[in-house]
Amino acid sequence: MKKVARPILAGMVLITIIWLFIGDITPTQPPWFSAEQVSQGEELYSEHCSSCHGVHAEGAKSWRTPDENGHLPPPPLDGAAHTWHHPKSFLQQTILEGGAKLGGVMPPFADKLSADEVDAVIAWIQSLWPTDIYYSWSKREQKRANQ
Ligand code: HEC
């Protein structure tokens, strides 16, 4: 290969790599929720959830350490913990049925929130997630839908 061609080739490879990388981290799809759902969810969250999960969904301080009964304190819901690994159906179920099924202590909200209100709360929670976290969740959710 001629010496002049090398930098040009290297430049093209670099541009391709950057292009692939940006293509992978930039969300290609808008979120499933609307701005109205987010603002409705914010109100519902502050009424029903903030006392345990924190005003900004930051979770209890020592959320990784089980209490004396072996129960974990309320985790962050803002994308810092593993909430984003769960499908939307699991989040809906946890909020409606509470944590008892999985040996947890979170109270159920089926008698307080409608399905639409639960979705609004999830919308607000997800609006707090960093873009890359939301995108990873969304990609997994799409895969699950196609299975
Ligand atoms: C009385 C305290 C309390 C309230 C109120 C509460 N939670 Fe929880 N939540 C918990 C605890 C504790 C956990 C950990 C699992 C368990 O013990 O059930 C949890 C777990 C969760 C999880 C699962 C998180 C994960 O990463 O697996 C979600 C989602 C959640 N809560 C959402 C909510 C929402 C939304 C509300 C309001 C509608 C709410 N919680 C109200 C205490 C609470």
Side-chain angles (χ1 to χ4, degrees), residues 104-126:
V105 293
M106 166 153 157
F109 284 89
D111 57 346
K112 297 198 180 82
L113 299 175
S114 69
D116 284 349
E117 288 174 329
V118 169
D119 276 1
V121 174
I122 296 174
W124 183 72
I125 289 168
Q126 292 193 324

Side-chain angles (χ1 to χ4, degrees), residues 48-49 52-53 72 74-75 77 82-83 86 95 99 104-107 109 121:
H48 297 287
C49 325
C52 287
H53 288 280
L72 283 170
L77 303 174
H82 61 253
T83 308
H86 297 307
I95 299 167
V105 293
M106 166 153 157
F109 284 89
V121 174

Side-chain angles (χ1 to χ4, degrees), residues 87 138-147:
S138 157
K139 262 198 341 199
R140 285 182 179 208
E141 194 77 347
Q142 269 167 20
K143 262 195 208 151
R144 287 187 281 255
N146 294 333
Q147 267 164 13

